[in-house]
Amino acid sequence: MSRSLRLLGAAVLSALIPAASAAAHVHTVAPGETLSGIAAANGLPTGALAAANGLPPTAFVITGTRLQVPAPGGGSAQPLGTAPPVTGGSGPVGGRVVRPGETLSGIAAANGLSTAALAGANGLSPTAMVIAGSRLRIPAASAPTEATGTPAAAGGSSAAPEPMGGYIVKPGDTLSGLALRSRVPVAQMAYMNGLRPDSRLIAGTPLKLPTGAPAAAPSGVAAPAPQVVPAAAPAPSSGRVSASDIHRIAGEHGVPGSLAAAIAWQESGFNNGMVSSANARGVMQVMPGTWDWVQSNLSKGRPLNPALPADNVRAGSLYLGQLLRDTGGDPAMAAAAYYQGLSSVRRIGMLPETRRYVANVLALRGRFGG
Protein backbone atom coordinates (compact mmCIF):
# COMPACT_ATOMS: atom_id res chain seq x y z
CA MET A 1 0.00 0.00 0.00
CA SER A 2 1.37 3.41 -0.91
CA ARG A 3 2.22 5.98 1.76
CA SER A 4 -0.47 8.34 0.44
CA LEU A 5 -3.17 5.67 0.79
CA ARG A 6 -2.05 4.89 4.35
CA LEU A 7 -2.27 8.58 5.23
CA LEU A 8 -5.69 8.84 3.65
CA GLY A 9 -6.94 5.84 5.62
CA ALA A 10 -5.60 7.28 8.87
CA ALA A 11 -7.32 10.59 8.18
CA VAL A 12 -10.65 8.86 7.52
CA LEU A 13 -10.37 6.81 10.72
CA SER A 14 -9.50 9.86 12.81
CA ALA A 15 -12.54 11.66 11.44
CA LEU A 16 -14.79 8.75 12.46
CA ILE A 17 -13.45 8.40 16.02
CA PRO A 18 -14.91 11.08 18.32
CA ALA A 19 -12.53 13.04 20.50
CA ALA A 20 -12.34 11.93 24.12
CA SER A 21 -13.13 15.45 25.28
CA ALA A 22 -16.57 15.20 23.65
CA ALA A 23 -17.58 12.17 25.77
CA ALA A 24 -20.37 12.42 28.32
CA HIS A 25 -19.08 12.90 31.87
CA VAL A 26 -19.97 14.11 35.36
CA HIS A 27 -19.05 17.66 36.38
CA THR A 28 -18.90 18.88 39.99
CA VAL A 29 -20.05 22.50 40.24
CA ALA A 30 -17.26 24.81 41.45
CA PRO A 31 -17.83 28.08 43.35
CA GLY A 32 -19.07 30.85 41.05
CA GLU A 33 -20.06 28.56 38.18
CA THR A 34 -23.39 28.88 36.39
CA LEU A 35 -25.43 26.44 34.33
CA SER A 36 -24.93 28.52 31.19
CA GLY A 37 -21.17 28.80 31.79
CA ILE A 38 -20.74 25.05 32.30
CA ALA A 39 -22.81 24.39 29.17
CA ALA A 40 -20.71 26.81 27.09
CA ALA A 41 -17.46 25.26 28.36
CA ASN A 42 -18.66 21.87 27.13
CA GLY A 43 -19.99 23.06 23.77
CA LEU A 44 -23.64 22.59 24.73
CA PRO A 45 -26.74 24.78 24.68
CA THR A 46 -27.88 25.65 28.20
CA GLY A 47 -31.17 23.88 27.51
CA ALA A 48 -29.43 20.59 26.67
CA LEU A 49 -27.40 20.59 29.91
CA ALA A 50 -30.50 21.59 31.88
CA ALA A 51 -32.60 18.81 30.31
CA ALA A 52 -29.93 16.19 31.07
CA ASN A 53 -30.23 17.05 34.76
CA GLY A 54 -33.98 17.65 35.09
CA LEU A 55 -33.51 21.41 35.54
CA PRO A 56 -35.03 24.47 33.92
CA PRO A 57 -32.52 26.50 31.86
CA THR A 58 -32.77 29.31 34.45
CA ALA A 59 -31.81 27.08 37.41
CA PHE A 60 -29.21 28.22 39.95
CA VAL A 61 -26.61 25.47 40.44
CA ILE A 62 -25.17 24.90 43.90
CA THR A 63 -21.46 24.43 44.59
CA GLY A 64 -20.69 20.72 45.03
CA THR A 65 -23.65 19.54 42.94
CA ARG A 66 -22.75 16.85 40.38
CA LEU A 67 -24.14 17.47 36.89
CA GLN A 68 -24.45 14.93 34.08
CA VAL A 69 -22.78 16.52 31.03
CA PRO A 70 -23.98 14.83 27.82
CA ALA A 71 -21.77 14.54 24.76
CA PRO A 72 -22.41 17.35 22.26
CA GLY A 73 -25.08 16.21 19.82
CA GLY A 74 -25.87 13.22 22.11
CA GLY A 75 -26.99 9.84 20.80
CA SER A 76 -25.65 7.55 18.11
CA ALA A 77 -26.36 7.51 14.39
CA GLN A 78 -28.14 4.19 14.76
CA PRO A 79 -30.29 4.20 17.93
CA LEU A 80 -29.78 1.23 20.23
CA GLY A 81 -32.56 -0.66 21.96
CA THR A 82 -35.17 0.02 19.29
CA ALA A 83 -38.31 -2.01 19.88
CA PRO A 84 -40.51 -3.39 17.09
CA PRO A 85 -42.43 -0.59 15.40
CA VAL A 86 -45.98 0.15 16.49
CA THR A 87 -48.62 2.11 14.69
CA GLY A 88 -49.79 5.54 15.79
CA GLY A 89 -52.43 7.84 14.46
CA SER A 90 -49.96 9.89 12.43
CA GLY A 91 -48.07 7.02 10.85
CA PRO A 92 -45.42 4.49 11.84
CA VAL A 93 -43.63 5.13 15.09
CA GLY A 94 -41.03 3.12 16.96
CA GLY A 95 -40.95 2.07 20.62
CA ARG A 96 -37.60 3.10 22.13
CA VAL A 97 -36.31 1.91 25.52
CA VAL A 98 -34.26 4.59 27.29
CA ARG A 99 -30.76 3.49 28.29
CA PRO A 100 -28.84 4.79 31.35
CA GLY A 101 -27.28 8.19 30.68
CA GLU A 102 -29.45 9.02 27.67
CA THR A 103 -31.28 12.33 27.35
CA LEU A 104 -34.43 13.40 25.55
CA SER A 105 -32.48 15.80 23.35
CA GLY A 106 -29.89 13.14 22.48
CA ILE A 107 -32.51 10.56 21.52
CA ALA A 108 -34.34 13.18 19.45
CA ALA A 109 -31.15 14.15 17.60
CA ALA A 110 -30.26 10.51 16.90
CA ASN A 111 -33.66 10.03 15.27
CA GLY A 112 -33.64 13.23 13.21
CA LEU A 113 -36.28 14.93 15.39
CA SER A 114 -36.54 18.15 17.34
CA THR A 115 -36.64 17.73 21.11
CA ALA A 116 -40.07 19.38 21.15
CA ALA A 117 -41.46 16.87 18.63
CA LEU A 118 -40.22 13.88 20.62
CA ALA A 119 -41.47 15.42 23.88
CA GLY A 120 -44.87 16.12 22.37
CA ALA A 121 -45.25 12.55 21.12
CA ASN A 122 -44.72 11.29 24.67
CA GLY A 123 -46.64 13.85 26.72
CA LEU A 124 -43.45 15.33 28.18
CA SER A 125 -41.98 18.78 28.64
CA PRO A 126 -39.03 19.39 26.25
CA THR A 127 -36.90 19.90 29.37
CA ALA A 128 -37.94 16.57 30.93
CA MET A 129 -35.33 14.13 32.19
CA VAL A 130 -36.05 10.65 30.81
CA ILE A 131 -35.86 7.62 33.07
CA ALA A 132 -33.74 4.60 32.15
CA GLY A 133 -35.99 1.67 31.25
CA SER A 134 -38.96 3.82 30.21
CA ARG A 135 -40.28 3.48 26.67
CA LEU A 136 -40.55 6.42 24.29
CA ARG A 137 -42.66 6.65 21.15
CA ILE A 138 -40.49 7.76 18.21
CA PRO A 139 -42.66 9.52 15.62
CA ALA A 140 -41.70 9.36 11.95
CA ALA A 141 -39.40 12.25 11.10
CA SER A 142 -41.97 13.60 8.64
CA ALA A 143 -44.93 13.13 10.95
CA PRO A 144 -47.05 16.22 11.59
CA THR A 145 -46.12 18.13 14.75
CA GLU A 146 -47.55 21.01 16.71
CA ALA A 147 -45.84 23.40 14.29
CA THR A 148 -48.00 22.13 11.40
CA GLY A 149 -51.21 22.38 13.38
CA THR A 150 -51.56 18.82 14.68
CA PRO A 151 -51.95 18.76 18.47
CA ALA A 152 -49.18 17.06 20.42
CA ALA A 153 -49.85 14.57 23.16
CA ALA A 154 -51.49 15.98 26.26
CA GLY A 155 -49.16 17.82 28.52
CA GLY A 156 -46.32 17.96 26.00
CA SER A 157 -47.25 20.97 23.89
CA SER A 158 -44.89 23.28 25.75
CA ALA A 159 -42.30 23.43 28.46
CA ALA A 160 -43.13 23.66 32.14
CA PRO A 161 -44.30 27.17 33.02
CA GLU A 162 -42.06 29.58 34.89
CA PRO A 163 -42.53 29.78 38.69
CA MET A 164 -45.49 31.96 39.60
CA GLY A 165 -44.47 35.35 41.01
CA GLY A 166 -40.74 34.85 40.52
CA TYR A 167 -38.61 37.99 40.75
CA ILE A 168 -34.84 38.51 40.76
CA VAL A 169 -33.72 41.53 42.80
CA LYS A 170 -32.22 44.36 40.77
CA PRO A 171 -29.76 47.03 41.96
CA GLY A 172 -31.65 49.63 43.99
CA ASP A 173 -34.57 47.37 44.95
CA THR A 174 -35.78 47.44 48.54
CA LEU A 175 -38.12 45.05 50.32
CA SER A 176 -40.46 47.90 51.28
CA GLY A 177 -40.51 49.21 47.71
CA LEU A 178 -41.32 45.80 46.23
CA ALA A 179 -43.99 45.22 48.89
CA LEU A 180 -45.57 48.59 48.04
CA ARG A 181 -45.59 47.80 44.31
CA SER A 182 -47.03 44.36 45.05
CA ARG A 183 -49.68 45.78 47.39
CA VAL A 184 -48.82 43.54 50.35
CA PRO A 185 -47.41 44.30 53.82
CA VAL A 186 -43.61 44.24 54.11
CA ALA A 187 -43.86 41.70 56.95
CA GLN A 188 -45.84 39.29 54.76
CA MET A 189 -43.33 39.44 51.91
CA ALA A 190 -40.43 39.07 54.35
CA TYR A 191 -42.01 36.02 56.01
CA MET A 192 -42.67 34.20 52.73
CA ASN A 193 -39.05 34.68 51.65
CA GLY A 194 -37.38 33.88 54.97
CA LEU A 195 -36.18 37.47 55.50
CA ARG A 196 -36.49 40.10 58.22
CA PRO A 197 -38.68 43.10 57.34
CA ASP A 198 -35.62 45.35 57.58
CA SER A 199 -33.39 43.10 55.44
CA ARG A 200 -31.27 44.74 52.77
CA LEU A 201 -31.70 43.11 49.41
CA ILE A 202 -28.75 41.97 47.30
CA ALA A 203 -29.02 42.13 43.51
CA GLY A 204 -29.46 38.64 42.06
CA THR A 205 -31.52 37.34 45.02
CA PRO A 206 -34.70 35.40 44.07
CA LEU A 207 -37.94 36.52 45.71
CA LYS A 208 -41.49 35.19 45.69
CA LEU A 209 -43.99 37.97 45.01
CA PRO A 210 -47.77 37.55 45.21
CA THR A 211 -49.49 36.02 42.19
CA GLY A 212 -50.25 38.80 39.72
CA ALA A 213 -47.95 41.33 41.39
CA PRO A 214 -46.93 44.00 38.83
CA ALA A 215 -43.28 43.74 39.89
CA ALA A 216 -43.06 40.04 39.04
CA ALA A 217 -41.77 38.70 35.73
CA PRO A 218 -44.56 38.83 33.10
CA SER A 219 -46.36 35.58 32.31
CA GLY A 220 -44.38 33.40 29.92
CA VAL A 221 -41.18 35.43 30.34
CA ALA A 222 -38.29 33.61 32.02
CA ALA A 223 -36.74 35.50 34.92
CA PRO A 224 -32.92 35.66 35.08
CA ALA A 225 -31.22 32.87 37.00
CA PRO A 226 -30.83 33.69 40.71
CA GLN A 227 -27.27 34.41 41.82
CA VAL A 228 -27.70 34.81 45.60
CA VAL A 229 -29.79 32.49 47.79
CA PRO A 230 -31.09 33.94 51.10
CA ALA A 231 -29.97 31.97 54.16
CA ALA A 232 -33.34 30.49 55.12
CA ALA A 233 -34.90 27.05 55.46
CA PRO A 234 -35.19 24.83 53.55
CA ALA A 235 -31.59 24.73 52.38
CA PRO A 236 -30.98 23.87 48.70
CA SER A 237 -28.51 21.12 49.59
CA SER A 238 -27.21 18.81 46.90
CA GLY A 239 -28.83 15.42 46.49
CA ARG A 240 -31.61 13.62 44.67
CA VAL A 241 -34.43 11.30 45.63
CA SER A 242 -36.15 8.55 43.68
CA ALA A 243 -39.80 8.17 42.74
CA SER A 244 -40.06 5.28 45.22
CA ASP A 245 -38.71 7.54 48.00
CA ILE A 246 -41.40 10.10 47.22
CA HIS A 247 -44.12 7.42 47.07
CA ARG A 248 -43.08 6.14 50.50
CA ILE A 249 -42.89 9.54 52.19
CA ALA A 250 -46.11 10.83 50.63
CA GLY A 251 -47.91 7.62 51.57
CA GLU A 252 -46.92 8.11 55.21
CA HIS A 253 -49.04 11.27 55.17
CA GLY A 254 -51.99 9.95 53.18
CA VAL A 255 -50.99 11.67 49.94
CA PRO A 256 -51.08 9.80 46.61
CA GLY A 257 -47.47 8.99 45.78
CA SER A 258 -48.02 9.38 42.05
CA LEU A 259 -49.32 12.95 42.50
CA ALA A 260 -46.46 13.95 44.81
CA ALA A 261 -43.89 12.41 42.43
CA ALA A 262 -45.44 14.14 39.41
CA ILE A 263 -45.31 17.52 41.15
CA ALA A 264 -41.75 16.90 42.33
CA TRP A 265 -40.63 15.96 38.81
CA GLN A 266 -42.37 18.98 37.30
CA GLU A 267 -40.91 21.28 39.93
CA SER A 268 -37.31 20.09 40.18
CA GLY A 269 -36.65 16.80 38.37
CA PHE A 270 -36.10 15.32 41.88
CA ASN A 271 -33.10 17.65 42.34
CA ASN A 272 -32.82 19.02 45.89
CA GLY A 273 -30.16 21.57 44.91
CA MET A 274 -32.55 23.55 42.73
CA VAL A 275 -33.56 27.15 43.58
CA SER A 276 -36.17 28.83 41.40
CA SER A 277 -36.56 32.47 40.48
CA ALA A 278 -39.40 32.54 43.03
CA ASN A 279 -37.05 31.51 45.89
CA ALA A 280 -38.55 28.00 46.07
CA ARG A 281 -36.07 25.32 47.09
CA GLY A 282 -35.41 21.62 46.85
CA VAL A 283 -37.20 18.59 45.44
CA MET A 284 -40.70 19.93 46.12
CA GLN A 285 -39.73 23.59 45.58
CA VAL A 286 -40.85 24.68 49.05
CA MET A 287 -40.64 28.39 49.88
CA PRO A 288 -39.25 29.52 53.25
CA GLY A 289 -42.63 30.80 54.46
CA THR A 290 -44.34 27.56 53.46
CA TRP A 291 -41.64 25.56 55.24
CA ASP A 292 -42.19 27.49 58.48
CA TRP A 293 -45.98 27.16 58.20
CA VAL A 294 -45.78 23.40 57.61
CA GLN A 295 -43.36 23.00 60.51
CA SER A 296 -45.67 24.95 62.83
CA ASN A 297 -49.03 23.57 61.70
CA LEU A 298 -48.71 20.20 59.95
CA SER A 299 -45.61 18.32 61.14
CA LYS A 300 -47.22 17.41 64.52
CA GLY A 301 -44.16 18.36 66.51
CA ARG A 302 -41.72 16.40 64.39
CA PRO A 303 -38.81 18.70 63.52
CA LEU A 304 -37.98 18.78 59.82
CA ASN A 305 -34.32 18.94 58.83
CA PRO A 306 -33.99 21.79 56.29
CA ALA A 307 -30.88 20.18 54.73
CA LEU A 308 -32.36 16.74 54.04
CA PRO A 309 -33.91 16.02 50.62
CA ALA A 310 -36.28 13.53 52.32
CA ASP A 311 -37.63 16.22 54.65
CA ASN A 312 -38.08 18.60 51.73
CA VAL A 313 -40.29 15.89 50.20
CA ARG A 314 -42.02 15.47 53.57
CA ALA A 315 -42.77 19.20 53.86
CA GLY A 316 -44.08 19.33 50.29
CA SER A 317 -46.20 16.22 50.86
CA LEU A 318 -47.70 17.61 54.06
CA TYR A 319 -48.56 20.84 52.27
CA LEU A 320 -50.00 18.96 49.28
CA GLY A 321 -52.08 16.84 51.68
CA GLN A 322 -53.55 20.00 53.20
CA LEU A 323 -54.37 21.34 49.74
CA LEU A 324 -56.12 18.07 48.87
CA ARG A 325 -58.24 18.40 52.00
CA ASP A 326 -59.00 22.03 51.19
CA THR A 327 -60.10 21.15 47.64
CA GLY A 328 -62.20 18.11 48.49
CA GLY A 329 -59.59 15.65 47.25
CA ASP A 330 -59.47 17.08 43.70
CA PRO A 331 -55.91 16.39 42.42
CA ALA A 332 -56.17 18.97 39.61
CA MET A 333 -57.29 21.73 41.96
CA ALA A 334 -54.66 20.74 44.53
CA ALA A 335 -51.92 20.88 41.87
CA ALA A 336 -53.22 24.28 40.72
CA ALA A 337 -53.15 25.54 44.30
CA TYR A 338 -49.62 24.19 44.77
CA TYR A 339 -48.47 26.29 41.82
CA GLN A 340 -50.68 29.39 41.87
CA GLY A 341 -51.80 29.53 45.49
CA LEU A 342 -55.17 28.35 46.80
CA SER A 343 -56.59 31.79 47.56
CA SER A 344 -55.67 33.02 44.07
CA VAL A 345 -57.24 30.00 42.38
CA ARG A 346 -60.44 30.48 44.39
CA ARG A 347 -60.50 34.20 43.63
CA ILE A 348 -59.69 34.33 39.91
CA GLY A 349 -59.60 30.72 38.74
CA MET A 350 -56.69 28.96 37.04
CA LEU A 351 -54.45 31.23 35.01
CA PRO A 352 -53.32 29.96 31.57
CA GLU A 353 -49.88 28.96 32.85
CA THR A 354 -51.54 27.18 35.78
CA ARG A 355 -53.67 25.14 33.39
CA ARG A 356 -50.49 24.16 31.55
CA TYR A 357 -48.82 23.21 34.84
CA VAL A 358 -51.80 21.06 35.88
CA ALA A 359 -51.94 19.34 32.48
CA ASN A 360 -48.24 18.48 32.75
CA VAL A 361 -48.66 17.14 36.30
CA LEU A 362 -51.63 14.95 35.37
CA ALA A 363 -49.77 13.59 32.33
CA LEU A 364 -46.70 12.86 34.45
CA ARG A 365 -48.81 11.21 37.14
CA GLY A 366 -49.47 8.28 34.84
CA ARG A 367 -45.74 7.74 34.52
CA PHE A 368 -45.37 7.45 38.30
CA GLY A 369 -48.08 4.86 38.87
CA GLY A 370 -51.15 7.11 39.12
Side-chain angles (χ1 to χ4, degrees):
M1 182 184 294
S2 69
R3 182 174 181 273
S4 60
L5 285 176
R6 287 197 303 270
L7 290 175
L8 178 59
V12 171
L13 284 173
S14 65
L16 293 175
I17 299 173
S21 60
H25 63 281
V26 176
H27 175 83
T28 301
V29 178
E33 286 191 313
T34 63
L35 194 66
S36 59
I38 296 168
N42 287 276
L44 296 166
T46 303
L49 181 60
N53 291 275
L55 300 171
T58 57
F60 176 79
V61 288
I62 308 297
T63 300
T65 302
R66 291 165 62 84
L67 297 178
Q68 295 289 335
V69 180
S76 60
Q78 175 62 43
L80 300 174
T82 302
V86 295
T87 300
S90 60
V93 296
R96 173 75 154 75
V97 178
V98 177
R99 291 175 172 268
E102 288 189 311
T103 64
L104 193 66
S105 59
I107 295 170
N111 286 275
L113 299 166
S114 69
T115 305
L118 181 59
N122 290 275
L124 298 172
S125 159
T127 60
M129 188 175 182
V130 288
I131 303 170
S134 61
R135 184 178 292 275
L136 294 179
R137 291 174 61 84
I138 309 295
S142 59
T145 64
E146 188 184 17
T148 61
T150 301
S157 61
S158 56
E162 290 296 317
M164 189 77 72
Y167 181 79
I168 303 299
V169 174
K170 300 174 181 145
D173 279 340
T174 64
L175 197 61
S176 59
L178 290 172
L180 180 64
R181 288 160 58 192
S182 301
R183 299 185 290 274
V184 296
V186 177
Q188 180 181 333
M189 185 175 289
Y191 173 78
M192 184 52 65
N193 287 281
L195 301 170
R196 298 190 313 273
D198 60 350
S199 295
R200 294 184 62 186
L201 299 181
I202 302 172
T205 301
L207 290 181
K208 172 67 173 78
L209 305 187
T211 298
S219 173
V221 176
Q227 300 298 323
V228 180
V229 181
S237 56
S238 61
R240 290 182 179 272
V241 295
S242 66
S244 60
D245 292 330
I246 296 173
H247 271 262
R248 175 180 55 79
I249 294 169
E252 290 173 2
H253 303 288
V255 174
S258 60
L259 181 61
I263 286 177
W265 187 263
Q266 168 87 347
E267 292 279 349
S268 71
F270 300 168
N271 178 12
N272 199 61
M274 181 175 162
V275 179
S276 78
S277 61
N279 197 19
R281 297 111 179 274
V283 176
M284 298 294 286
Q285 289 292 275
V286 180
M287 290 178 293
T290 305
W291 175 273
D292 287 347
W293 186 83
V294 168
Q295 181 77 80
S296 300
N297 296 279
L298 300 179
S299 68
K300 298 181 179 178
R302 172 179 175 170
L304 300 174
N305 186 330
L308 286 182
D311 274 356
N312 190 287
V313 174
R314 186 164 282 107
S317 297
L318 286 167
Y319 182 53
L320 180 58
Q322 182 62 51
L323 293 175
L324 284 165
R325 290 188 289 275
D326 291 340
T327 58
D330 186 333
M333 284 294 291
Y338 198 96
Y339 177 71
Q340 183 178 324
L342 181 59
S343 62
S344 176
V345 172
R346 284 175 169 169
R347 188 175 69 255
I348 62 176
M350 291 189 202
L351 295 169
E353 55 268 45
T354 303
R355 288 196 293 271
R356 191 163 90 243
Y357 178 94
V358 171
N360 286 354
V361 166
L362 296 182
L364 286 167
R365 190 177 179 187
R367 294 176 172 271
F368 293 111

